[in-house]
Amino acid sequence: VHVVFGVGNRIRLASSKDGGGTFEVHDVGAPKTLALGMRRGPRVVATKGALVVTAVGGERGKGQDGDILAWRSTDGGRSWNGPTRVNAVVGSGREGLHALAAAADGTVFCTWIDLRNMRSELFGAVSHDAGATWQADRLIYRAPEQGICPCCHPSATFGPDGSLVVMWRNCLAGARDMYLARSTDRGASFTTAEKLGLGTWVLGICPMDGSTVGVGPNGRIDTVWMRAGTLYADR
């Protein structure tokens, strides 16, 4: 069991080898500023050979700057290499909202709300070697009218077959509905974004609330999210 969290500008990892009975805490890293609060904060995944932690950090913080930073440990969290900047454009991760996922073969995928084009867009990057190196980042989704919902964290997960699912809150004609896209080639390309749910939620501001997505052994995708104060599940 691995739990990652931030205290001030310091990232810490608590790990348990006995199913959560006891935990050992290790320092991961400490950028000058660390994005925390309102779903912002570090993320962790475990692969067969490494632990990978990502967080958004910068020099000034408070939305003025921020990059997706990645650390890697091959000794259970006792020591760490990094950070490595995952986003290609410096400062484009300053919104501070991101997600991290890992596949059984060691592929790691990170997605985040990106501001490089002065609007909120969904970008992602893949590591094929458990976080040792990262491929060039790429656009996953650009809303046709304006940015996607800027303060709702995205979600991502790999299925048992290696397929990748990414989920985010969109903003189309004022509607703050959840959308999902799927990749069968480890994040190289994604299907056309699909809206979730039968209803819609027109809202003048961002609700600051994201989602959770999981993929079962038979490829079934399960999602849980909020619309207008009510929780929904869509399969």
Side-chain angles (χ1 to χ4, degrees):
V1 180
H2 302 287
V3 182
V4 69
F5 58 96
V7 180
N9 70 329
R10 185 167 296 279
I11 302 166
R12 310 201 76 191
L13 179 84
S15 295
S16 173
K17 296 181 179 179
D18 55 8
T22 59
F23 283 87
E24 186 175 354
V25 180
H26 302 286
D27 285 330
V28 177
K32 192 169 183 179
T33 66
L34 181 64
L36 293 174
M38 298 305 295
R39 310 305 197 278
R40 294 170 178 85
R43 305 289 192 264
V44 60
V45 292
T47 69
K48 186 176 181 180
L51 297 173
V52 181
V53 167
T54 54
V56 178
E59 288 291 314
R60 294 169 293 172
K62 297 183 178 180
Q64 300 176 80
D65 64 352
D67 295 305
I68 314 299
L69 305 175
W71 290 260
R72 183 175 189 263
S73 174
T74 57
D75 58 8
R78 291 183 293 276
S79 63
W80 294 85
N81 294 319
T84 299
R85 177 162 51 88
V86 177
N87 51 304
V89 177
V90 175
S92 64
R94 60 188 178 274
E95 185 59 50
L97 294 165
H98 77 294
L100 190 65
D105 65 354
T107 301
V108 178
F109 176 78
C110 184
T111 185
W112 64 90
I113 295 179
D114 192 280
L115 301 177
R116 70 186 63 187
N117 295 316
M118 305 309 294
R119 55 186 283 176
S120 48
E121 300 170 327
L122 194 66
F123 269 71
V126 177
S127 171
H128 295 296
D129 49 15
T133 60
W134 291 84
Q135 303 297 305
D137 63 9
R138 63 180 62 211
L139 177 71
I140 297 174
Y141 179 79
R142 173 180 291 136
E145 304 164 359
Q146 54 185 355
I148 63 174
C149 211
C151 297
C152 293
H153 71 277
S155 299
T157 190
F158 281 96
D161 63 352
S163 62
L164 172 63
V165 177
V166 179
M167 186 175 169
W168 68 95
R169 192 180 294 278
N170 213 344
C171 185
L172 297 176
R176 310 280 178 159
D177 299 320
M178 304 305 302
Y179 277 70
L180 182 145
R182 185 171 178 265
S183 174
T184 58
D185 53 12
R186 298 296 199 273
S189 62
F190 284 85
T191 59
T192 300
E194 299 178 64
K195 177 183 173 297
L196 296 174
L198 301 177
T200 191
W201 188 17
V202 176
L203 188 67
I205 59 174
C206 177
M208 304 181 77
D209 192 72
S211 60
T212 297
V213 59
V215 182
N218 59 356
R220 185 185 72 198
I221 300 173
D222 287 296
T223 65
V224 179
W225 37 272
M226 185 273 291
R227 183 178 69 225
T230 299
L231 282 175
Y232 292 88
D234 198 5
R235 176 173 295 171

